[in-house]
Amino acid sequence: MAPEFPFVTEADDHCESPLDAYHDIMPLLKHLSGNETEKFCIYDPYYCDGGVTRNLNELGFPNVYNRKEDCYAVWSDVDQCPKFDCLVTNPPYSTDHIERLVKHVTSSTFTTGKPWFLLLPQWVHKKEFYQAATDALRPFYLVPHKRYVYVPPKDFRESRKSDVHKKSSPFVSMWYVYGGSAKQTEAIIRTYLQIQNAPCDLARSKSALRDLRRKKR
Ligand SMILES: C[S@@+](CC[C@H](N)C(=O)[O-])C[C@H]1O[C@@H](n2cnc3c(N)ncnc32)[C@H](O)[C@@H]1O
């Protein structure tokens, strides 16, 4: 039987981020944690089947907050918001979830100084709502050399007959990263640039993303 959630869900949104996506940002999470990965609390507000906790635990981050609760209700009450060191998430792509997430992490109600890593389709950086919200923050982008493939948990899409939906990567995705401050963003960019044979291309801006696309053609 398909599981129940205390919020409205769309079947196609039930896809968990793969281990390799987390693996690609590990050096940056380690940097931000000051190599104290045991204490470092990672918050993923969107709950599917707990895969995020299992993946991050496997990579050495035991302190993960990812619960089956309506994140919008949580965000609406400051006292309910969990304490965390860094937000790492892949939101649902349906309706206005991406826009709500981007607005939240760039708002004054979001804990100031907290870094975020958003795994989003590449088209998001061209959207007006995204540009308006992030213009002053200047996040950067990690574009994986190998496209991430998302896996729906078993039985979550039982009504589907088509095999097409068993594994899915409907959009090419990449990491949108902000270090919590301009200084911290620069520091993690430097950390990333020191990695030999890095699994992602780093782009500092929208125009750098365009240059990357042209280079790949
Ligand atoms: C694309 S999945 C990603 C799950 C997880 N964040 C990950 O990266 O593996 C998005 C999930 O968001 C959940 N979701 C939808 N609305 C939500 C809400 N209001 N609060 C919390 N989670 C929600 C859905 O259950 C869906 O499985």
Side-chain angles (χ1 to χ4, degrees), residues 9-196:
T9 61
E10 294 266 340
D12 282 345
D13 283 338
H14 289 313
C15 261
E16 301 209 276
S17 304
L19 184 67
D20 51 345
Y22 298 109
H23 191 264
D24 290 354
I25 57 167
M26 258 319 104
L28 304 187
L29 293 178
K30 282 193 179 142
H31 174 106
L32 289 167
S33 75
N35 281 325
E36 299 214 34
T37 60
E38 305 258 314
K39 289 191 201 147
F40 195 70
C41 181
I42 297 175
Y43 172 41
D44 181 343
Y46 295 102
Y47 187 87
C48 184
D49 194 36
V52 53
T53 302
R54 291 187 291 276
N55 282 334
L56 285 165
N57 287 176
E58 192 176 325
L59 293 169
F61 286 83
N63 195 354
V64 179
Y65 186 107
N66 178 234
R67 298 196 184 157
K68 199 188 264 195
E69 61 190 12
D70 181 353
C71 62
Y72 306 123
V74 169
W75 297 346
S76 69
D77 177 358
V78 183
D79 295 333
Q80 269 197 69
C81 287
K83 297 219 180 332
F84 62 92
D85 297 302
C86 180
L87 183 147
V88 177
T89 195
N90 171 228
Y93 294 171
S94 67
T95 65
D96 60 350
H97 288 293
I98 294 178
E99 187 167 352
R100 289 178 84 169
L101 171 65
V102 169
K103 286 201 171 135
H104 178 65
V105 298
T106 55
S107 72
S108 55
T109 49
F110 187 72
T111 317
T112 320
K114 295 295 176 196
W116 43 259
F117 292 70
L118 313 181
L119 188 51
L120 303 175
Q122 288 198 359
W123 51 258
V124 173
H125 78 277
K126 295 184 182 165
K127 291 283 173 193
E128 214 175 292
F129 76 78
Y130 175 79
Q131 288 172 20
T134 59
D135 231 21
L137 299 181
R138 302 179 58 81
F140 68 96
Y141 310 95
L142 293 175
V143 185
H145 296 162
K146 209 171 147 220
R147 186 175 173 147
Y148 298 138
V149 177
Y150 300 85
V151 189
K154 208 170 166 286
D155 302 331
F156 267 48
R157 295 183 180 181
E158 59 186 1
S159 58
R160 290 236 180 236
K161 291 193 177 70
S162 158
D163 272 0
V164 173
H165 292 274
K166 285 200 170 143
K167 274 195 172 183
S168 99
S169 46
F171 304 105
V172 178
S173 54
M174 64 181 182
W175 286 107
Y176 293 60
V177 186
Y178 176 62
S181 66
K183 198 172 159 201
Q184 186 94 275
T185 303
E186 276 307 311
I188 56 176
I189 286 177
R190 278 199 302 278
T191 299
Y192 200 82
L193 293 176
Q194 279 165 15
I195 301 169
Q196 308 240 323

